[in-house]
Amino acid sequence: PQMNFFQGELRKENGRFFVMLGEYPVEISEEKQERLFSCDVQPQAVVLGVRPEHITLENEGIPAVRGVMEMMGSSIHLHMQALGQDVVVVVSGMDDSGHFVDVASEGEQAMLRLHGNAIHLFSAETGENLEFSAKKETISHEQVAESVLSQETVTPSVPDEPDEKAAAETPPAPPTEKKAFHLLRKKK
């Protein structure tokens, strides 16, 4: 199943980021905290993405109501309603001792936990992944081509404001034979 997406608010208190989904806070892992700080991310409206297998049923968390359950081999796909939207949760069908897992019945309430090390944060405004959104040193396609042809090392530069009109008018360069071969090899 595809990733679940939630509208939320990235906040920072006492030097730590967290996301508010409605009235429910979602903690963010240390690794992701560091990336957000290194990218100089500011509090803002976000879209939080989380894969169905990274949501667990817990005693506390975001309230959800269970809908349809699908047995999918060794896992169970639970279709739920939480925060006013459909959410898919994938749980193991058996516990560590090989017994079938008892999940909430259809219509019953359950609590969802979104694990802070497995969430993805996107800008609600631009859609950009916030963990990798800082103005980073970039190398233009032309610099790469010149470097390959001359076997020189290219020094990255920090771009000024992007010229969206010029970028839209400039067609992408066709792939080289080497690049096209590489792309074909990846598809196999």
Side-chain angles (χ1 to χ4, degrees), residues 90-107:
V90 175
V91 297
S92 177
M94 293 186 171
D95 62 19
D96 292 338
S97 61
H99 295 96
F100 288 105
V101 173
D102 185 27
V103 295
S105 297
E106 190 169 341

Side-chain angles (χ1 to χ4, degrees), residues 63-140:
V65 176
R66 205 202 94 195
V68 177
M69 175 179 81
E70 297 177 88
M71 294 294 293
M72 304 294 284
S74 63
S75 64
I76 301 171
H77 293 203
L78 299 172
H79 296 266
M80 308 186 87
Q81 283 288 313
L83 300 169
Q85 66 185 57
D86 294 329
V87 178
V88 177
V89 179
V90 175
V91 297
S92 177
M94 293 186 171
D95 62 19
D96 292 338
S97 61
H99 295 96
F100 288 105
V101 173
D102 185 27
V103 295
S105 297
E106 190 169 341
E108 285 186 346
Q109 185 162 328
M111 300 299 222
L112 305 179
R113 179 166 179 240
L114 313 182
H115 296 273
N117 62 333
I119 63 173
H120 303 277
L121 297 174
F122 304 94
S123 165
E125 184 179 330
T126 67
E128 184 175 31
N129 186 328
L130 295 176
E131 291 181 63
F132 307 101
S133 67
K135 276 191 173 182
K136 296 183 176 141
E137 294 183 337
T138 58
I139 301 172
S140 71

Side-chain angles (χ1 to χ4, degrees), residues 10 17 28 31-42 121 130-131:
L10 180 66
F17 285 107
I28 299 174
E31 180 183 350
K32 291 183 181 290
Q33 294 276 342
E34 289 173 14
R35 284 194 203 125
L36 293 173
F37 278 109
S38 72
C39 291
D40 196 29
V41 173
Q42 299 302 309
L121 297 174
L130 295 176
E131 291 181 63

